[in-house]
Amino acid sequence: MPLALLALAVGAFGIGTTEFVMMGLLPNVADDLHISIPTAGHLVSAYALGVVIGAPLLAAVTAKLPRRRVLIGLMALFVVGNALSAVAPDNTSLLAARFVSGLPHGAFFGVGAVVATGLVGPERKARSVSLMFLGLTVANIVGVPVATAMGQQLGWRATFLAVSAIGLVAIAALALLVPADHGHGDAVGVRGELRALASGPVWLALGTTVAGFGALFAAYSYITPMLTDAAGYAESSVTVLLALFGVGATAGNLLGGRLADHSLRGTLFGGLIALAVVLALFPLLMSAGWSAALAVALLGMAAFTTGSPLQLMVMEKASAAPSLASSANQAAFNLANAGGAWIGGLALAAGFGVTSPAVTGAILAVLGLAVAAAAYLVDRKAPAHGTERLVASGSTRAYEPSGR
């Protein structure tokens, strides 16, 4: 695999660290800025809002630019956002800085996925995407725990300075390792990008992402009370158990990339079925310490098996605008984060029990499987409407009925 994928993984590692570290630093930030923890929780939402807005917007406006330059520019914005977070004097300033930090997130993964697939042969596309996402999953094993500990010992501002430094390393790696002549965006313009995105198959693929990862976050958002109240773990053990989630996510990400190169649809269906089964078994698995630890690892593995297939499917369904579609998939992922947590919270608030968010997640996984099946049926029926013609855009190729 090309070394350029290492540069993309470094950027993904920094992004994954800054996205998830805020959860562990909320008490520290709240104490320092003299705000409540629920108010500090809005900092998580501000970042997610930046991702949702920035992903399609930045991907569209940079569509005609060389992709290496775009990646470096996005990572520079990431560094600025985290540096501003480190020096923010009050909660309002920190909210704005977190929003800025989130803006390049989706576009970086979107453009990075296009670059990654363009660096390898067609038989290794999914694997190349999974290697870029490796930085994101490893961040949950190493980056987030280390950054959280740093914030608790040296102050939360030190954490964001360290993340800014990771961003600078990523900029240097991108400049050195991503080929300068690789990837000028197709000159279709913003309207052309939006037209390519406005199709049923693309939206079905995005809907699968929202439902599938909504299933993950319905459970994962409440994993701590499940581990403490149901499985009987002490709160001090939760950090180690969450690292198991990162290990499972890393294994699932690599497995999904390898399997998807052989069967993209099969890997997606298999991952969603596995996710639904694991979540449905959560009430049983959380009844003992060893099985609860296994459940956390399996949750990460099942969910992230679907990551690379979903990213590649969205890109193929919008072959004329792969950067925008791929970035939109990252926005869908963050919508899943917010929506899944909300739906899981409804089950918890209704008094269905501490493991009820996982059962709710299982239902969402089945919904994701239904949407993926609908997308499959649409693809099977599409050639009946006309003669197939090959549509190619860079390294991404897809069959589309003529007359559309």
Side-chain angles (χ1 to χ4, degrees):
M1 286 288 181
L3 280 175
L5 295 177
L6 175 62
L8 295 172
V10 172
F13 178 82
I15 289 173
T17 300
T18 201
E19 179 181 18
F20 293 108
V21 75
M22 182 56 76
M23 286 77 158
L25 295 179
L26 285 182
N28 306 81
V29 174
D31 288 343
D32 186 51
L33 298 181
H34 307 292
I35 57 177
S36 67
I37 289 181
T39 299
H42 295 158
L43 296 167
V44 178
S45 302
Y47 184 93
L49 182 62
V51 178
V52 173
I53 293 175
L57 179 64
L58 293 178
V61 299
T62 60
K64 294 184 180 181
L65 298 177
R67 289 185 178 129
R68 185 180 76 161
R69 190 185 304 171
V70 172
L71 289 170
I72 291 173
L74 292 170
M75 193 50 59
L77 181 58
F78 170 83
V79 170
V80 169
N82 282 279
L84 290 174
S85 297
V87 299
D90 52 41
N91 184 50
T92 301
S93 301
L94 187 54
L95 280 169
R98 288 293 290 169
F99 176 79
V100 172
S101 299
L103 286 173
H105 176 128
F108 181 87
F109 281 111
V111 176
V114 176
V115 170
T117 55
L119 291 168
V120 298
E123 74 284 355
R124 305 181 97 182
K125 285 183 179 182
R127 226 174 308 176
S128 71
V129 173
S130 72
L131 288 177
M132 178 186 68
F133 283 141
L134 187 64
L136 182 66
T137 57
V138 169
N140 282 283
I141 305 173
V142 180
V144 174
V146 171
T148 301
M150 177 184 293
Q152 292 169 345
Q153 297 298 319
L154 303 177
W156 62 270
R157 298 179 188 275
T159 295
F160 291 110
L161 287 175
V163 172
S164 297
I166 296 173
L168 292 175
V169 173
I171 289 173
L174 291 167
L176 289 173
L177 299 178
V178 176
D181 59 346
H182 177 79
H184 285 258
D186 300 318
V188 297
V190 175
R191 290 184 179 179
E193 293 261 338
L194 292 175
R195 278 197 302 270
L197 192 62
S199 73
V202 172
W203 284 99
L204 285 171
L206 293 174
T208 306
T209 297
V210 172
F213 276 94
L216 165 65
F217 286 111
Y220 188 68
S221 300
Y222 306 97
I223 196 69
T224 296
M226 289 188 210
L227 291 171
T228 56
D229 297 351
Y233 280 101
E235 287 188 8
S236 57
S237 304
V238 171
T239 301
V240 176
L241 292 166
L242 293 184
L244 286 178
F245 174 84
V247 171
T250 300
N253 174 54
L254 293 174
L255 178 65
R258 182 170 290 273
L259 292 177
D261 280 327
H262 298 285
S263 175
L264 192 151
R265 293 272 189 192
T267 304
L268 178 58
F269 289 154
L272 288 170
I273 291 171
L275 181 59
V277 171
V278 169
L279 287 170
L281 290 175
F282 247 59
L284 176 63
L285 295 173
M286 284 291 158
S287 62
W290 69 270
S291 57
L294 177 64
V296 172
L298 290 176
L299 176 64
M301 187 172 185
F304 278 86
T305 298
T306 65
S308 299
L310 281 169
Q311 193 76 22
L312 200 58
M313 185 174 296
V314 171
M315 291 165 59
E316 290 183 349
K317 296 308 173 188
S319 58
S323 296
L324 179 57
S326 186
S327 300
N329 194 51
Q330 294 301 310
F333 178 88
N334 276 267
L335 286 174
N337 189 339
W342 177 69
I343 292 172
L346 290 178
L348 204 58
F352 292 128
V354 71
T355 59
S356 61
V359 179
T360 304
I363 297 172
L364 287 174
V366 172
L367 176 61
L369 187 63
V371 177
Y376 173 70
L377 293 176
V378 168
D379 281 353
R380 289 200 61 176
K381 292 179 180 179
H385 296 291
T387 306
E388 279 188 347
R389 60 184 175 86
L390 186 63
V391 177
S393 176
S395 63
T396 307
R397 303 173 73 85
Y399 282 99
E400 177 179 286
S402 63
R404 286 192 172 186

